[in-house]
Amino acid sequence: MSGGDMAKPLLGHRNMEGDPGITPAAGRTIGVLGSGDFARSLAIRLVCSGFKVVVGSRNPKRKASLFPSAAEVTFQAEAVKKTDVIFVAVFREHYSTLCDLADVLAGKILVDVSNNIEINHHKESNAEYLASLFPACTVVKGFNVVSAWTLQSGARDGNKQVLICSNNQEAKRTVAEIAQVMGFTPVDMGCMSSACEIENIPLRLLPAWKIPIFLALGLFLCFFTYNLVRQVIHPYIREQKNKFYKIPVEVVNTTLPCVAYVMLSLVYLPGVLAACSQLYYGTKYRRFPDWLDQWLQHRKQIGLLSFFCAALHAVYSLCLPMRRSHRYQLIETAVKQAVEKKMNIWVEEEVWRMEIYISVGIIALGLLSLLAITSLPSIANSLNWREFSFIQSTLGFIALVISTLHTLTYGWSRAFDENQYKFYLPPTYTLTLLVPCTVILAKVIFNLPCIQQRLLRIRRGWEKGRYVKFVLPSATGEYSSGETSSNV
Ligand code: NAP
């Protein structure tokens, strides 16, 4: 379906006769069995899209007032007699109560819109079950991925795709046309065996986020334990100091930036590995291993989680001075200095370190916000490929470099201070630098002209060891052709 089609307004009360843009589906009578939330929203949308709607209810008198006046609400048997296409907006458990209608339904198209309450709840899909109850009908699975709310609010505010499957091509085409006229994008999912998959889609909980969330939680757990040992357990064991109050804020706040920083580098690491693979094999046509493919596909979610942790770190950092423990420590230090009669406590190097540390931190968070915003489909769709690639690739890499500066100014000379090695464990920031610095170094190497040229050629389709046709002008001005190795 073209972008132009998607931009079309809902047909509303327009007269559709003679409109070349309207498919033959518009204007026909559509039946809806059931008078619940979905049936009502469906009827409203169908009426607004120019269809005649007849609703079949067990109790039409009571339900008629819930439907738009343009829709006819009648008994089930009456409704199905008036149309060839019937949406079954009834739960699977009640399908068998429709068996009395088998004779009037024979030869008609039944659209199964039902969902289950859990994934793979029944052995056979609801659509296959409906087909088994009504063998004389043609069943099409569809519309279950759109909610009653989406149907009412219009295609622009909700999910636009309607996944459709059926064993009958003609019936599938009819339902696809209806979906298109309603402002949805029909997606052909093949034959009825796909119904189970389609029914599971609305029940999946953030499938694209599972791996990135587990990754973030895993990193958080590792860094949290490491920081806990260094900041709380070590002083407790070595100096019998009770620092457990640090767990809710300080330990969490030193863990969050570690996760954010490493996650940001993990957005760019698969790109580096992919480039290494392309350079090694001298082609872009070789499939990446599955794990790398998966990793590349999850970069957006990993980046958004990195931004989430960085934003939390910023909020935690702003709240640090609010803590009672902080105030006590400040007063304690001031009293100590007064007792020791220390007047000048200004350390120029520390002042500069903090100023730079905070400034680069704010810039890094600003860039991460930009990356997060531009990854939203509505914003991403308004950018051309070059703009999107500049923001996500170039500015993203700059964000990684600035985050590295933020980390280095935080750590400063701590890596060289032996007192910082608690239980021989190096300061946490040194560990976080490993992956990001590898990525930055690799990116620098890939930007060396000799490597960049080769990578560019590979990405334009050049292959190592492949023979290509060449055309050369001869001395007489005519062109002669031949073959050579593209390796040469
Ligand atoms: P609902 O509000 O409970 O409506 C179900 C309707 O089924 C009732 O209003 C009833 O209408 C009819 N029905 C027919 N025979 C029945 C019987 N023996 N016992 C009880 N009711 C009977 O449910 P709904 O939310 O509209 O959902 C309807 C179907 O759409 C379900 O299969 C659901 O999975 C699917 N769906 C719903 C949504 C959503 O957002 N709600 C989204 C996607 C798919 P009469 O009393 O007029 O006969």
Side-chain angles (χ1 to χ4, degrees):
M1 189 176 171
S2 71
D5 287 344
M6 284 309 302
K8 254 185 231 158
L10 286 180
L11 299 174
H13 306 289
R14 271 180 14 180
N15 180 6
M16 292 162 310
E17 270 176 33
D19 188 336
I22 307 306
T23 67
R28 70 191 297 172
T29 303
I30 309 289
V32 179
L33 276 179
S35 61
D37 296 335
F38 195 81
R40 204 162 45 247
S41 304
L42 188 65
I44 293 171
R45 186 64 174 267
L46 284 165
V47 167
C48 287
S49 305
F51 292 99
K52 290 184 191 115
V53 177
V54 54
V55 179
S57 168
R58 292 168 304 163
N59 194 342
K61 264 194 186 154
R62 198 153 63 92
K63 303 289 176 73
S65 60
L66 302 172
F67 287 82
S69 54
E72 182 188 347
V73 183
T74 181
F75 287 102
Q76 290 174 334
E78 286 303 309
V80 294
K81 271 183 204 159
K82 295 186 176 177
T83 171
D84 290 338
V85 181
I86 301 134
F87 283 80
V88 185
V90 169
F91 283 103
R92 174 192 172 122
E93 293 70 38
H94 305 135
Y95 283 176
S96 55
T97 65
L98 304 174
C99 284
D100 293 347
L101 305 169
D103 288 341
V104 259
L105 284 173
K108 306 203 169 180
I109 297 172
L110 297 183
V111 185
D112 182 295
V113 299
S114 66
N115 280 321
N116 288 316
I117 39 173
E118 55 188 71
I119 289 178
N120 296 327
H121 189 51
H122 301 282
K123 237 168 60 191
E124 64 185 343
S125 66
N126 296 349
E128 285 166 312
Y129 173 61
L130 187 69
S132 71
L133 290 179
F134 299 97
C137 298
T138 307
V139 175
V140 177
K141 180 81 209 180
F143 284 84
N144 63 309
V145 292
V146 288
S147 65
W149 176 84
T150 303
L151 280 169
Q152 280 204 33
S153 60
R156 276 177 198 79
D157 292 345
N159 178 20
K160 289 176 186 168
Q161 288 191 338
V162 167
L163 312 183
I164 292 169
C165 76
S166 175
N167 288 339
N168 185 308
Q169 288 299 328
E170 188 54 33
K172 197 159 56 175
R173 203 175 61 83
T174 304
V175 177
E177 278 175 9
I178 295 169
Q180 205 166 341
V181 175
M182 288 168 80
F184 290 107
T185 310
V187 179
D188 187 348
M189 295 289 286
C191 57
M192 195 49 103
S193 52
S194 306
C196 212
E197 189 192 336
I198 298 179
E199 284 169 15
N200 284 338
I201 287 173
L203 300 172
R204 291 209 191 106
L205 183 68
L206 305 172
W209 285 85
K210 252 186 208 148
I211 295 173
I213 286 174
F214 279 122
L215 184 69
L217 286 178
L219 281 172
F220 187 89
L221 209 67
C222 292
F223 281 119
F224 182 84
T225 314
Y226 194 84
N227 289 329
L228 184 77
V229 170
R230 282 178 46 84
Q231 295 176 349
V232 179
I233 310 287
H234 182 268
Y236 185 71
I237 292 178
R238 287 287 155 89
E239 301 157 42
Q240 280 74 51
K241 279 187 182 162
N242 184 345
K243 303 262 178 166
F244 285 91
Y245 72 90
K246 286 186 171 185
I247 296 175
V249 180
E250 265 185 63
V251 179
V252 172
N253 192 35
T254 40
T255 304
L256 283 170
C258 301
V259 180
Y261 182 42
V262 174
M263 293 279 284
L264 182 63
S265 67
L266 292 181
V267 172
Y268 295 97
L269 184 59
V272 166
L273 296 177
C276 288
S277 155
Q278 288 176 339
L279 282 170
Y280 181 76
Y281 292 108
T283 176
K284 70 167 184 176
Y285 299 109
R286 195 188 155 93
R287 250 188 75 89
F288 296 131
D290 278 350
W291 58 267
L292 185 55
D293 231 18
Q294 286 274 326
W295 193 351
L296 285 162
Q297 281 169 32
H298 285 106
R299 283 179 298 176
K300 175 177 154 183
Q301 288 80 5
I302 296 174
L304 284 173
L305 285 174
S306 161
F307 167 65
F308 175 69
C309 293
L312 281 185
H313 168 54
V315 177
Y316 267 95
S317 303
L318 286 176
C319 295
L320 285 180
M322 285 183 199
R323 293 168 315 143
R324 198 61 52 208
S325 57
H326 179 77
R327 288 186 211 166
Y328 289 151
Q329 275 166 357
L330 269 185
I331 297 168
E332 214 177 278
T333 320
V335 170
K336 255 191 204 162
Q337 280 164 2
V339 170
E340 289 168 12
K341 293 200 172 97
K342 267 192 194 166
M343 294 306 286
N344 190 6
I345 52 153
W346 187 275
V347 183
E348 191 71 15
E349 184 187 301
E350 275 301 290
V351 170
W352 273 101
R353 181 179 77 84
M354 263 331 251
E355 300 292 311
I356 296 169
Y357 163 67
I358 292 171
S359 178
V360 289
I362 293 170
I363 296 170
L365 184 63
L367 285 173
L368 281 184
S369 317
L370 194 68
L371 296 182
I373 291 167
T374 49
S375 72
L376 298 174
S378 52
I379 309 282
N381 290 344
S382 69
L383 302 170
N384 66 29
W385 184 84
R386 195 159 174 215
E387 289 161 347
F388 184 78
S389 144
F390 171 74
I391 293 172
Q392 294 295 330
S393 200
T394 313
L395 288 188
F397 180 67
I398 292 172
L400 185 66
V401 173
I402 291 179
S403 305
T404 306
L405 284 178
H406 182 61
T407 312
L408 287 172
T409 44
Y410 167 78
W412 210 240
S413 56
R414 281 185 222 185
F416 309 106
D417 178 0
E418 64 178 85
N419 292 328
Q420 294 292 329
Y421 285 73
K422 314 277 162 89
F423 292 136
Y424 303 104
L425 299 174
T428 322
Y429 85 96
T430 55
L431 300 187
T432 62
L433 283 166
L434 278 176
V435 184
C437 287
T438 311
V439 172
I440 293 170
L441 187 71
K443 286 265 188 189
V444 170
I445 294 173
F446 290 154
N447 273 309
L448 295 176
C450 53
I451 299 186
Q452 194 188 38
Q453 285 296 316
R454 191 176 166 92
L455 208 50
L456 272 176
R457 282 171 73 198
I458 290 171
R459 286 178 180 170
R460 283 197 197 120
W462 177 87
E463 282 186 279
K464 185 165 78 174
R466 206 195 67 184
Y467 283 84
V468 292
K469 263 199 155 182
F470 69 88
V471 181
L472 282 176
S474 68
T476 58
E478 289 171 344
Y479 286 84
S480 65
S481 68
E483 280 193 340
T484 185
S485 164
S486 59
N487 238 351
V488 180

